Amino acid sequence: MDSNINILILSCGTRNKIVQYFKDELDNKGKVFATDSSELAPALYEADEHFIVPRVDEPGYLERILEICKEYNITGVLSLIDPELSVLAKNKQKFLDIGTTPIVSDYDVIERSFNKYDFNEFLKNNGFNSMKCYVDLETFFKDYSVEVIDFPVFVKPVEGSASININKVHSKEELELLFSRYDNLMIQEYMDGIEYGVDVYIDLISSELVSAFIKEKLKMRAGETDKSVSVIDDKLLDLVKDFVKVAGYKGIIDIDIFKVNNEYYISEVNPRFGGGYPHAYEVGVNIPTQIINNLSHKENKKELNNYDEKNYMMKFNDLIIINELDLGAKK
């Protein structure tokens, strides 16, 4: 590293491990800064310095983040929550103008990821296996009547994250009730198979896929992988390579994939660090170092299948105690 690299992690929340990993990889050759809107976000207190900032939808949010970047010579900024990704992508040039690189995909790619129906149509139009999806009851019931699709199905918001308001629905009556109560819902066929998560890094300089870690999800909690096992699967990796070539992502992405009857179906993409990324890091898939390399103007070499199979991740609870006098930070 030729000069110090300063990283700003937005909405760090409970993602203590991500902050720790960047600090370890920087190895005192730069600082890790963190923000959150709550002074009770535990990951704040892992950072070298931290800030309490407005919520992303509140006045003054963007101006405050740009101010921090400028004042503290932030080299690269990334977010751990979805709403901020759109803000970073939409205002990418404002950050670049002050010397800060947003580690995020382009705005249109981000927006497509967050609209689950549009994303599914993108998959279908580009020749990838896609799930049957519906945004209106009439079309669903028409297909149901001729046995194109059957119950159970998943009903979820067209836009949303963290598995919020996702329901497994077993009957016509349940389906009609949900559609009468909520707007902007989508019906998705139920995939009865193995679910995988793939932590991917697309080099910011070469735009090439340089790392991919495949894990089978064994247990989920609040939309995040709680237990998983590492997998080497060349067929699935080839799918990821093909997908990345056409999808236009940059930096870190987390891909959810189902395997049903020996066929792979991409479910969705989170264009940020996924909740299960610590599994990848702990077995040697070092995305923080790849980010630091790119911010140092160094292109990463491809490192695929560079981890062992059958390594299990098991998350557990930990805690931080902070005295009231030490709570919060610079506003």
Side-chain angles (χ1 to χ4, degrees):
M1 220 178 297
D2 299 325
S3 58
N4 281 6
I5 299 290
N6 293 325
I7 305 286
L8 177 62
I9 300 173
L10 305 177
S11 294
C12 60
T14 59
R15 305 288 291 279
N16 298 51
K17 287 292 183 186
I18 300 296
V19 177
Q20 292 169 14
Y21 296 156
F22 274 103
K23 284 184 71 174
D24 288 346
E25 299 309 320
L26 282 170
D27 193 25
N28 295 316
K29 294 172 183 169
K31 286 186 174 183
V32 176
F33 299 82
T35 74
D36 204 276
S37 60
S38 169
E39 61 186 10
L40 296 180
L44 285 172
Y45 303 98
E46 303 276 2
D48 293 301
E49 293 192 47
H50 62 270
F51 310 91
I52 309 302
V53 300
R55 291 173 56 89
V56 66
D57 55 357
E58 290 177 344
Y61 165 80
L62 178 63
E63 290 75 14
R64 180 62 183 130
I65 302 304
L66 287 165
E67 186 180 81
I68 292 168
C69 288
K70 191 170 183 180
E71 184 175 348
Y72 292 89
N73 296 313
I74 300 300
T75 319
V77 58
L78 60 97
S79 176
L80 301 181
I81 66 166
D82 293 340
E84 274 174 333
L85 299 177
S86 297
V87 174
L88 283 180
K90 196 170 188 178
N91 295 281
K92 188 177 282 189
Q93 193 58 50
K94 290 180 182 178
F95 286 92
L96 292 172
D97 288 345
I98 58 171
T100 301
T101 299
I103 301 149
V104 69
S105 298
D106 291 339
Y107 181 73
D108 59 334
V109 177
I110 295 284
E111 292 301 293
R112 186 181 64 216
S113 301
F114 293 159
N115 186 304
K116 295 178 176 65
Y117 187 79
D118 286 352
F119 180 74
N120 198 67
E121 290 294 297
F122 171 81
L123 294 173
K124 196 188 304 182
N125 294 338
N126 283 277
F128 297 101
N129 288 338
S130 57
M131 303 179 190
K132 296 181 185 72
C133 291
Y134 306 84
V135 287
D136 67 279
L137 289 177
E138 185 179 346
T139 308
F140 171 79
F141 286 133
K142 184 178 176 183
D143 278 4
Y144 174 67
S145 69
V146 293
E147 299 182 351
V148 169
I149 193 166
D150 199 1
F151 290 104
V153 293
F154 275 118
V155 175
K156 56 179 73 174
V158 172
E159 296 180 339
S161 61
S163 296
I164 294 170
N165 292 336
I166 293 182
N167 295 276
K168 189 177 179 182
V169 173
H170 295 83
S171 70
K172 178 180 177 181
E173 290 73 24
E174 284 181 79
L175 195 56
E176 289 175 332
L177 181 62
L178 282 169
F179 269 74
S180 69
R181 286 185 174 179
Y182 303 104
D183 294 326
N184 207 26
L185 294 179
M186 180 177 84
I187 305 164
Q188 188 176 73
E189 73 174 304
Y190 172 64
M191 305 302 284
D192 189 10
I194 300 169
E195 186 176 2
Y196 297 94
V198 189
D199 300 288
V200 171
Y201 190 69
I202 298 118
D203 194 88
L204 298 177
I205 297 171
S206 68
S207 299
E208 294 287 325
L209 171 73
V210 291
S211 67
F213 173 76
I214 302 169
K215 59 186 176 291
E216 179 184 341
K217 299 182 180 185
L218 303 176
K219 186 179 179 184
M220 301 291 290
R221 178 172 55 171
E224 288 194 2
T225 305
D226 212 31
K227 301 183 195 297
S228 55
V229 59
S230 57
V231 173
I232 301 284
D233 184 327
D234 288 333
K235 183 179 175 184
L236 198 160
L237 181 59
D238 286 342
L239 168 63
V240 170
K241 288 176 183 175
D242 291 342
F243 172 71
V244 164
K245 279 180 186 173
V246 300
Y249 289 98
K250 297 173 183 175
I252 328 108
I253 65 170
D254 168 44
I255 310 176
D256 292 334
I257 297 173
F258 285 92
K259 183 180 182 181
V260 180
N261 299 325
N262 212 34
E263 290 288 328
Y264 292 100
Y265 296 79
I266 296 173
S267 169
E268 58 185 72
V269 172
N270 300 304
R272 53 170 169 74
F273 278 109
Y277 171 70
H279 192 172
Y281 181 88
E282 298 293 346
V283 298
V285 182
N286 195 333
I287 291 177
T289 282
Q290 292 173 325
I291 290 171
I292 292 165
N293 285 342
N294 279 169
L295 293 175
S296 303
H297 310 293
K298 296 172 186 171
E299 192 174 310
N300 290 290
K301 295 177 182 176
K302 290 184 182 180
E303 296 181 12
L304 303 173
N305 289 345
N306 64 329
Y307 57 89
D308 292 330
E309 284 194 283
K310 294 184 170 55
N311 275 316
Y312 288 81
M313 177 190 75
M314 297 158 276
K315 282 186 183 175
F316 61 94
N317 291 331
D318 204 346
L319 54 85
I320 287 177
I321 303 294
I322 296 285
N323 186 275
E324 183 181 24
L325 296 173
D326 300 317
L327 269 181
K330 297 163 185 171
K331 301 278 182 176

